[in-house]
């Protein structure tokens, strides 16, 4: 079973995904409610990176989602 970060990391290969992320946020927290995964995602200059730890003071938004929503991306 892939982690949520692994699933989202694949999106970085698609320019359309990068464009969407750049319009939505610079630094965001992700809280996957059904797997208890919490991490942050950062985008800058068209590059996406992840931190396996969620530090709420370092993000603009925290998105609460579930693993089904991630799979649907």
């Amino acid at each position: 079973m892939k982690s949520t970060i692994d699933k989202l990391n694949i999106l970085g290969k698609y320019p359309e995904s990068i464009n969407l992320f750049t319009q939505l946020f610079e630094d965001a927290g992700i809280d996957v409610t059904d797997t208890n995964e919490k991490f942050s995602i950062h985008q800058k200059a068209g590059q996406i990176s992840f931190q396996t730890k969620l530090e709420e003071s370092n993000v603009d938004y925290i998105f609460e989602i579930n693993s089904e929503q991630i799979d649907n991306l």
Side-chain angles (χ1 to χ4, degrees):
M1 179 185 212
K2 284 187 175 184
S3 73
T4 301
I5 289 177
D6 290 337
K7 292 176 185 179
L8 288 174
N9 212 10
I10 293 169
L11 293 176
K13 296 179 181 180
Y14 300 97
E16 299 85 5
S17 298
I18 301 289
N19 289 338
L20 175 64
F21 288 150
T22 59
Q23 293 176 23
L24 294 177
F25 63 86
E26 197 166 298
D27 303 291
I30 306 291
D31 179 359
V32 186
T33 56
D34 59 332
T35 63
N36 294 320
E37 294 173 272
K38 294 183 181 189
F39 56 91
S40 57
I41 181 172
H42 309 278
Q43 70 80 20
K44 186 170 185 169
Q47 300 293 319
I48 295 176
S49 64
F50 297 92
Q51 279 187 301
T52 57
K53 192 175 181 183
L54 173 57
E55 294 183 31
E56 293 184 18
S57 62
N58 292 337
V59 297
D60 302 317
Y61 305 100
I62 296 178
F63 296 100
E64 289 186 1
I65 57 176
N66 62 48
S67 56
E68 182 180 357
Q69 291 170 305
I70 295 292
D71 291 340
N72 289 335
L73 278 174

